[in-house]
Amino acid sequence: MQSSPSPNTLRTLIEPFIHQHGGWVNAHAHADRAFTLDAHMLEIYCTQTLERKWDAIDAMKRNSSVEDYYGRFCQTIELMITQGVTAMCSFVDIDPAAGDRAIRGALRARELYRDDITVLYANQTLKGVIAPDAREWFDRGAEMVDIIGALPKRDERDFGRGDEALDIVLGVAKAMNKMVHAHVDQFNDPHEHETEQLCNKTVEHGMQGRVVAIHGISIAAHAKQYRVRLYEKMRDSGVMTIACPMAWIDTPRSEFIGPAHNALTPIDEMIPAGVTVAIGTDNISDAMVPFCEGDMWRELSLLAAGCRYTDFDELVRIATDNGRRALGLPLLNVPNIAKENIHGNAAVL
């Protein structure tokens, strides 16, 4: 059988430029739960809402040893390395269910691969930061990670204190000189305004340029006038965003009346408005996102197709430089992306 040249695809057009520009950056993952998919985890995915999953996976977390967590981090990091990922950030459960076992395994794995990839960690706050035991683990976790994580929806749901939760997170981050990555606007719901709330709190705490909004799915459910105002607020407050397409494309249908849109971060509007957009895999083969296998190209291609976004140069930046910006890492000393090269290559397709 004769060998034939690689077929002309958008991947063969774009991905070489990603590698030339320093390699992929996976700006958001949850490696501590990666590859935990089994019959029980799949049942949780099929039968539980996201908010109920925050507690439904507790048994798995409690039953996982440091060695279990170490193995998952190693498996995930190796998967990233094989794809040419040069930097990544994983959230880590540090809470009453996981204790410090996940972060201990994570730190050990990072040391093993320190010469191959830059790995940063953020503390996941699935239990919030208001309840005393949750706050205790938040404070302990904040000392052990590079980036302070947030999930204001948990404390808003449980106590009606989402604003206070962000005050705690941003206050701790500022005192420790660390960035904040916050899960916001996840439910494709026009009643959510968490990204705007995060922008307001960012300015209030003087954290401009140090805060990242993860997901922002509900933004596209709002009227255009609101979206335009929000993008201006994000730009002015320096709030960046990370899109994780595979994590949200399975959002259940609803009867909300609003603009027609896919359940994706609306990068086609954000980027022209001056918002920095990065990309991540989010959960990998677990109860939250069983369909995600940690494929960076699949994430980028879904994001581009779902938003009908065809600025190939910006797609390269989303996959590289913007991820480094979202992680607070210095940009690599590599040549600038040459628009004529990417679009010139497109002429052969």
Side-chain angles (χ1 to χ4, degrees):
M1 184 174 181
Q2 290 184 339
S3 62
S4 58
S6 299
N8 290 328
T9 66
L10 279 176
R11 183 170 191 167
T12 60
L13 168 67
I14 295 173
E15 194 167 30
F17 287 92
I18 292 172
H19 295 307
Q20 291 170 25
H21 209 65
W24 291 95
V25 177
N26 183 357
H28 182 69
H30 291 271
D32 53 340
R33 307 183 210 134
F35 308 110
T36 54
L37 194 62
D38 58 17
H40 177 59
M41 292 294 107
L42 193 56
E43 181 181 9
I44 290 175
Y45 171 78
C46 293
T47 61
Q48 305 292 323
T49 65
L50 175 62
E51 290 180 273
R52 295 185 70 177
K53 290 176 193 173
W54 293 342
D55 298 316
I57 61 172
D58 277 359
M60 179 273 292
K61 290 158 61 174
R62 290 195 181 96
N63 292 331
S64 294
S65 65
V66 173
E67 285 296 321
D68 292 330
Y69 283 118
Y70 171 71
R72 291 173 204 151
F73 275 100
C74 288
Q75 194 170 9
T76 304
I77 293 170
E78 288 183 9
L79 175 61
M80 294 301 111
I81 292 171
T82 62
Q83 296 178 73
V85 174
T86 56
M88 65 174 286
C89 178
S90 176
F91 269 62
V92 184
D93 288 326
I94 307 174
D95 59 29
D100 65 356
R101 294 186 303 282
I103 189 61
R104 286 163 57 197
L107 293 171
R108 182 176 155 202
R110 177 164 69 182
E111 182 66 17
L112 181 65
Y113 299 99
R114 64 180 181 177
D115 295 329
D116 303 304
I117 185 173
T118 299
V119 180
L120 302 183
Y121 295 126
N123 53 325
Q124 173 66 313
T125 56
L126 276 186
K127 307 304 182 184
V129 297
I130 299 294
D133 57 344
R135 177 61 192 270
E136 178 184 352
W137 279 106
F138 169 75
D139 289 336
R140 292 173 66 175
E143 297 282 350
M144 304 176 76
V145 296
D146 309 287
I147 294 169
I148 305 301
L151 179 66
K153 177 69 76 177
R154 180 68 195 238
D155 288 311
E156 181 62 31
R157 186 198 73 176
D158 290 355
F159 306 108
R161 295 162 68 180
D163 274 342
E164 183 180 345
L166 285 176
D167 287 332
I168 291 171
V169 168
L170 288 160
V172 168
K174 187 172 184 178
M176 300 180 74
N177 193 29
K178 294 182 179 182
M179 295 185 72
V180 169
H181 282 203
H183 296 77
V184 291
D185 285 337
Q186 300 184 88
F187 294 97
N188 202 22
D189 183 341
H191 299 101
E192 283 195 308
H193 301 84
E194 289 181 325
T195 304
E196 182 177 20
Q197 176 189 35
L198 182 63
C199 291
N200 293 339
K201 286 295 182 181
T202 295
V203 174
E204 181 181 329
H205 286 266
M207 287 284 285
Q208 292 93 325
R210 302 279 291 161
V211 175
V212 179
I214 304 167
H215 303 314
I217 305 303
S218 296
I219 295 170
H222 286 275
K224 185 171 184 178
Q225 185 177 20
Y226 175 83
R227 300 197 308 270
V228 170
R229 290 200 309 269
L230 178 59
Y231 303 146
E232 292 175 354
K233 185 169 286 191
M234 294 178 74
R235 181 196 63 213
D236 293 345
S237 61
V239 171
M240 297 171 272
T241 193
I242 299 172
C244 302
M246 280 299 299
W248 297 103
I249 200 63
D250 66 344
T251 299
R253 73 174 68 251
S254 73
E255 297 304 315
F256 288 130
I257 304 299
H261 65 282
N262 291 318
L264 296 167
T265 311
I267 69 163
D268 52 311
E269 296 179 336
M270 286 181 166
I271 294 172
V275 178
T276 297
V277 176
I279 196 164
T281 57
D282 206 11
N283 299 70
I284 300 173
S285 297
D286 66 4
M288 303 291 190
V289 193
F291 292 105
C292 176
E293 298 174 357
D295 186 323
M296 295 300 298
W297 173 256
R298 189 180 187 190
E299 298 289 348
L300 188 66
S301 60
L302 175 59
L303 182 64
C307 293
R308 196 168 180 82
Y309 191 73
T310 56
D311 187 327
F312 302 145
D313 309 296
E314 283 298 331
L315 290 175
V316 173
R317 292 188 183 93
I318 288 170
T320 58
D321 284 354
N322 289 358
R324 299 187 74 84
R325 290 186 177 97
L327 300 185
L329 296 173
L331 299 185
L332 299 177
N333 185 21
V334 295
N336 290 330
I337 300 168
K339 182 182 286 287
E340 64 273 12
N341 287 346
I342 294 184
H343 289 274
N345 283 1
V348 305
L349 296 181

